[in-house]
Amino acid sequence: MSDSGSDEDLTPEDRGSTESVRKGCDPLVSTQRSKLQQRRAKLNQQINRELLLRSGAENLYRASTNQKVKETVALELSFVNSNLQLLKEELEELNSSMNIYQTESETLNVPMIPLGLKETKEIDMTVPLQDFIAEHYGEDASLYLNEIQDFMELRQAMRTPSRNEAGQELLMEYFNQLYFLDQRFFSPHRSLGVHFHWYDSLTGVPSVQRALAFEKGSVLFNIGALYTQIGARQDRSTLSGIEDAIDAFQRAAGAFLYLQENFSHAPSLDMSGSALSMLVRLMVAQVQECVCEKVLLNIQDIHLNVLLQAAQEAARVSDVYSLVLQAMSVPLLKDYVPFSWISMVQVKTHHFRALAHYYTAVALCDCSGVGDEDEDGAEIKALVQIHTRQPEKLNLQDPEDKRRLAHTQQKPDIKAPDFSVVRVTDIFHRLGPLSVFSARNRWTRRHVCLVRGEAGLGLTLRGDSPVLVAGVLPGGCAAEGGLREGDYIVAVNSVDCRWAEHAEVVHALKSCPDRGLELDIITLQTHEVERRMNLSPSGEQDYQSGSQRRAGREYGGSSSSVWGWSWRNSGVSKRLGSTFSLSFSNSRESQSMH
């Protein structure tokens, strides 16, 4: 089935430089893939409705004591269960439609197994984000309507990514923005009140979570799924097409493996550990199949070493597909994986095993004179490459020697997702530097008026974005005005300086008029506690216990006990931190007294 009429074959250069990466595919375009997605979305909604009806009927059946009512409800339940079974079978049939994602080339290729994208509902985050901006940041939320709209448009676009590199960049951009959204709006002290709805990729069963980790994991799953579609649509009758397919399937395996290693307690079966492990094996098997196709495509002349290498690769493909079949047969997945997938994997296991036997037989028939007529030793070297013993000691009747003929020397790589490839700017950067202005920090804001004295302002500044008050001279103007060590200067004479560099703030302070300076100051609560600790003998003990309570709340806020799904930060925070972290101060640690 073709996908003609779609713009997915175009590169970003073909589309023109004026088009943003944020634009997804038009879901109304009548392409085969868009029609499939629309049918999947409709089925997902119908399944969700039937599940709600079944849940309500079951509750009524348990609560009712009237036998006639129970009989009526039982009849309704049987009808609902029948509808659910039909809908799930129809969805399974759609998920089995592998031809839609295959290449349009006239050359016959063995079909690859692609994965459909997870569907999600549209979310209006305007009110929750505005409320958080007003309550936590103390800002006029109406001033951030453009930022909120930009984020919502980005989320809407990522629901329908194009099946090419631009689509991957779109998903990566949204995934990276979720890091900033997490830091800005997801506090360990309160819930944002946003629910993320995602449907299982294979069964259509809906899952709802408040945890942003669920949103991140679902987007990451779609990154891997989109790579499977890109790999399946390559024309593998050419060397370049095979290389592109290998790269796509390796990246798909990397995305699924990254998801498996860094996320836990998945609410949907498609993102469970066993399902992701199976998908990684499936992608690796398809990479190995492409490697075998590349070897077969390069066969020009019938030589012993060429035939043996072809046999090796074909046998390796059979071996890895047999492992995939084992992964699909575990109790949790045997009734979950589409029947067409299992059938395809079984066929490929036997097909490539037979292909390995064929090339091995041809090679052994052609090498009957090894050692007598092979003057340059080329055939001997070919046999040495696949044996641990010398050819002269080789016994072709030995099952172990025959088995060694079928081992490959080429293994696929798994390419982990590189989120730094798509660099993004925090949509809500106007809220201030993330090192201070985040959902995890609390602060108090106040207005301070200073008049420069003969000895200056009497304060020491350090760093930038924002500038920190590192010291206050006792009895000086700054101390009398109410400035304290640990304060941050966020505005000078009503001019915002949250993102200002050290030199810019110093210049603004030195240029103060005769009437003095008006400063907007914020104090982090941790700094306030530190000051109390230094003033009270018991303050150290109080501060430590308070710190431990804060740490506990932060840990619990992302744990499975609260959200039902969590994101393991080992390795992830390092990767994201190197890409997104905003430094506390400039690397040169500027410091000056005024």
Side-chain angles (χ1 to χ4, degrees), residues 286-310:
Q286 297 192 137
V287 170
Q288 199 69 59
E289 181 178 350
C290 291
V291 170
C292 180
E293 290 178 335
K294 183 170 66 173
V295 171
L296 299 181
L297 189 64
N298 288 330
I299 293 180
Q300 301 295 334
D301 300 318
I302 305 301
H303 290 301
L304 178 64
N305 56 346
V306 175
L307 294 171
L308 290 177
Q309 185 182 10

Side-chain angles (χ1 to χ4, degrees), residues 175 254 353:
F175 185 88
R353 176 63 60 184

Side-chain angles (χ1 to χ4, degrees), residues 475-496:
C477 298
E480 293 179 357
L483 274 181
R484 294 170 292 185
E485 180 182 348
D487 289 343
Y488 290 96
I489 301 176
V490 296
V492 178
N493 290 333
S494 301
V495 177
D496 189 285

Side-chain angles (χ1 to χ4, degrees), residues 168-185:
Q168 285 294 351
E169 291 178 0
L170 176 61
L171 291 174
M172 284 280 195
E173 180 182 0
Y174 180 70
F175 185 88
N176 290 346
Q177 284 292 350
L178 288 179
Y179 167 79
F180 291 114
L181 190 77
D182 184 20
Q183 298 295 313
R184 295 286 190 190
F185 297 103

Side-chain angles (χ1 to χ4, degrees), residues 187-359:
S187 168
H189 312 289
R190 55 164 289 184
S191 170
L192 191 61
V194 176
H195 292 81
F196 300 102
H197 298 251
W198 287 86
Y199 296 93
D200 189 286
S201 175
L202 296 180
T203 63
V205 175
S207 297
V208 182
Q209 290 274 306
R210 291 182 300 170
L212 191 65
F214 183 41
E215 180 88 344
K216 293 178 182 178
S218 299
V219 174
L220 186 56
F221 183 93
N222 276 356
I223 289 175
L226 188 57
Y227 272 126
T228 69
Q229 297 180 15
I230 294 175
R233 73 193 301 261
Q234 300 302 321
D235 180 8
R236 304 195 312 279
S237 63
T238 64
L239 187 59
S240 60
I242 292 177
E243 293 290 352
D244 290 341
I246 290 175
D247 180 72
F249 289 128
Q250 286 178 337
R251 294 183 184 277
F256 294 136
L257 182 61
Y258 187 87
L259 182 60
Q260 180 187 3
E261 292 178 345
N262 293 286
F263 291 80
S264 62
H265 303 94
S268 58
L269 188 54
D270 55 354
M271 292 193 292
S272 64
S274 56
L276 292 173
S277 177
M278 180 271 294
L279 290 175
V280 171
R281 290 189 176 188
L282 176 60
M283 295 306 112
V284 169
Q286 297 192 137
V287 170
Q288 199 69 59
E289 181 178 350
C290 291
V291 170
C292 180
E293 290 178 335
K294 183 170 66 173
V295 171
L296 299 181
L297 189 64
N298 288 330
I299 293 180
Q300 301 295 334
D301 300 318
I302 305 301
H303 290 301
L304 178 64
N305 56 346
V306 175
L307 294 171
L308 290 177
Q309 185 182 10
Q312 286 177 317
E313 299 304 334
R316 177 61 177 170
V317 174
S318 178
D319 288 342
V320 292
Y321 271 121
S322 65
L323 295 177
V324 175
L325 192 59
Q326 292 178 15
M328 290 180 173
S329 302
V330 299
L332 189 63
L333 300 180
K334 63 180 181 179
D335 295 326
Y336 172 74
V337 178
F339 178 74
S340 62
W341 287 22
I342 298 177
S343 300
M344 180 65 71
V345 171
Q346 288 176 332
V347 168
K348 289 189 175 185
T349 301
H350 296 298
H351 167 72
F352 284 99
R353 176 63 60 184
L355 202 61
H357 290 168
Y358 167 76
Y359 283 111

Side-chain angles (χ1 to χ4, degrees), residues 22 86 93-94 120 180 209 224 263 275 318 360 367 374 377-378 476 490-491 532 584 590:
R22 295 186 179 185
L86 291 175
E93 183 179 353
L94 287 182
T120 182
F180 291 114
Q209 290 274 306
F263 291 80
S318 178
T360 301
C367 72
D374 186 21
V490 296
R532 294 176 182 175
F584 168 76
S590 302

Side-chain angles (χ1 to χ4, degrees), residues 526-544:
T526 52
H527 292 157
E528 182 67 25
V529 173
E530 287 174 356
R531 278 193 291 268
R532 294 176 182 175
M533 177 188 66
N534 293 330
L535 295 176
S536 171
S538 61
E540 182 176 1
Q541 180 179 356
D542 295 338
Y543 171 68
Q544 288 177 346

